[in-house]
Amino acid sequence: EPEPVFTQVRSFAPATVANLGPGFDFLGCAVDGLGDHVTVTVDPSVKPGHISISSVHRLSLNPLWNCAGIAAISAMKALRIRSTGLSLSLEKGLPLGSGLGSSAASAAAAAVAVNAIFGSRLPVSGLVLAGLESEAKVSGYHADNIAPAIMGGFVLIRSYDPLDLIPLQFPDDRELFFVLVSPEFEAPTKKMREVLPVEISMKEHLCNCSQAAALVAAVLNGDLRVLGSALSSDTIVEPRRNPLIPGMAGVKRAALEAGAFGCTISGAGPTAVAITDDAVKGRVIGDAMVEMFLKEGSLKASAAVQRLDRVGARVV
């Protein structure tokens, strides 16, 4: 059993965009600038081997019903912590049910903070598994948010049993901006998963496989035109979810007409994500998307233009 090497650690984990169009449950990426903070403290007043949540806004203080708490407990079990009690404080920087990996950011930050307190002994796969335990209780056993939240960049989940994660290196010399437009509308992940088909046609299967493969190639090559085209070409999930987000079809159309390389739903929504190679163009695209959410969906929305987060969850 490792001894604490710090008495307190503060960590950050970024927002994530899951699915990326045709990559349902197996592709995701991290977004710079937006995310959650967690502070973990060695606390003699907490029962050894346990964790107490001391502060969090709008969420349960019961660690068994809190994304950060579940991941922290899982990380403590993986480290075999029996003699040290911890307290945890969560600062939410991401809105709930936004499609930006809010639960994954909390879980990733918590797992990384607990691991750091005890000398960072868990490997990346161990941190992802700790976060996956949290995700499984909240929105389902899928790693397309938690893996990029921890690892940064683009991540391909090749297999869940056994867990096999492949980082996809977007070229350092290429610019990539995400235009994230979030309407004032909540789309619970479980509800958005319920509308998905149990069976699909061979034609849909072939189309999505080829587009997902093109997306991976585009990431590795830094080809935003192909990346955007593939991102926009999901024929299975997005068509079923679009009608549940007021104005989404028009928002996608507005993004493309304003010059975006591609646009789709971020995760389960309701946030819409578009990509471009320039921050100024990104703001123009974002304004067009916000206007369309109001015009066709009667929803107020806010836009943010952010780079790719290449680092993932870290101690700050």
Side-chain angles (χ1 to χ4, degrees):
E1 179 186 4
E3 293 288 326
V5 297
F6 299 107
T7 56
Q8 187 178 78
V9 164
R10 180 172 159 84
S11 63
F12 170 83
T16 47
V17 174
N19 302 339
L20 296 170
F24 178 70
D25 276 6
F26 66 87
L27 283 173
C29 66
V31 178
D32 186 47
L34 308 172
D36 290 357
H37 285 88
V38 163
T39 301
V40 172
T41 306
V42 174
D43 192 339
S45 69
V46 177
K47 184 179 177 181
H50 289 69
I51 192 159
S52 169
I53 298 180
S54 58
S55 172
V56 65
H57 180 61
R58 283 185 64 196
L59 294 170
S60 173
L61 289 175
N62 184 341
L64 298 176
W65 293 99
N66 180 285
C67 303
I70 297 167
I73 291 169
S74 183
M76 290 178 76
K77 286 180 179 177
L79 289 163
R80 303 175 186 270
I81 304 303
R82 298 181 295 273
S83 306
T84 306
L86 303 174
S87 62
L88 181 151
S89 173
L90 170 62
E91 300 166 42
K92 290 296 298 177
L94 294 174
L96 307 179
S98 60
L100 292 172
S102 177
S103 61
S106 300
V112 165
V114 169
N115 192 38
I117 282 267
F118 297 101
S120 300
R121 295 176 177 231
L122 291 179
V124 167
S125 59
L127 294 172
V128 173
L129 286 170
L132 258 178
E133 190 165 326
S134 172
E135 289 286 82
K137 292 185 179 180
V138 176
S139 58
Y141 195 82
H142 51 89
D144 47 348
N145 286 116
I146 191 67
I150 287 172
M151 299 167 64
F154 288 88
V155 180
L156 165 67
I157 297 92
R158 184 184 175 214
S159 167
Y160 282 94
D161 187 18
L163 184 65
D164 188 358
L165 307 170
I166 302 176
L168 305 174
Q169 182 66 40
F170 188 82
D172 291 333
D173 60 348
R174 300 292 175 87
E175 287 281 26
L176 169 60
F177 291 90
F178 297 94
V179 184
L180 304 165
V181 179
S182 301
E184 294 180 359
F185 178 80
E186 194 165 326
T189 301
K190 287 187 177 181
K191 180 181 177 182
M192 299 299 279
R193 293 179 84 88
E194 287 171 0
V195 301
L196 303 183
V198 177
E199 296 181 351
I200 60 171
S201 68
M202 181 62 75
K203 181 180 180 181
E204 289 173 318
H205 166 68
L206 289 172
C207 179
N208 264 43
C209 282
S210 63
Q211 295 299 336
L215 194 149
V216 170
V219 168
L220 297 175
N221 292 331
D223 187 335
L224 291 193
R225 292 192 180 279
V226 175
L227 177 56
S229 176
L231 184 89
S232 304
S233 299
D234 173 32
T235 60
I236 298 171
V237 177
E238 186 185 310
R240 271 81 173 187
R241 286 178 168 172
N242 262 351
L244 301 184
I245 304 172
M248 181 62 210
V251 169
K252 180 174 182 175
R253 187 173 64 252
L256 298 175
E257 289 175 355
F261 291 117
C263 179
T264 189
I265 302 170
S266 177
T271 295
V273 56
I275 61 167
T276 184
D277 58 357
D278 180 81
V280 175
K281 279 197 290 186
R283 288 190 285 274
V284 173
I285 293 165
D287 288 344
M289 295 168 72
V290 167
E291 184 179 338
M292 192 58 73
F293 258 129
L294 188 60
K295 181 180 178 182
E296 292 201 1
S298 299
L299 294 174
K300 292 182 179 179
S302 59
V305 181
Q306 309 289 154
R307 282 187 163 91
L308 178 71
D309 184 307
R310 298 175 184 267
V311 180
R314 60 266 200 186
V315 171
V316 295

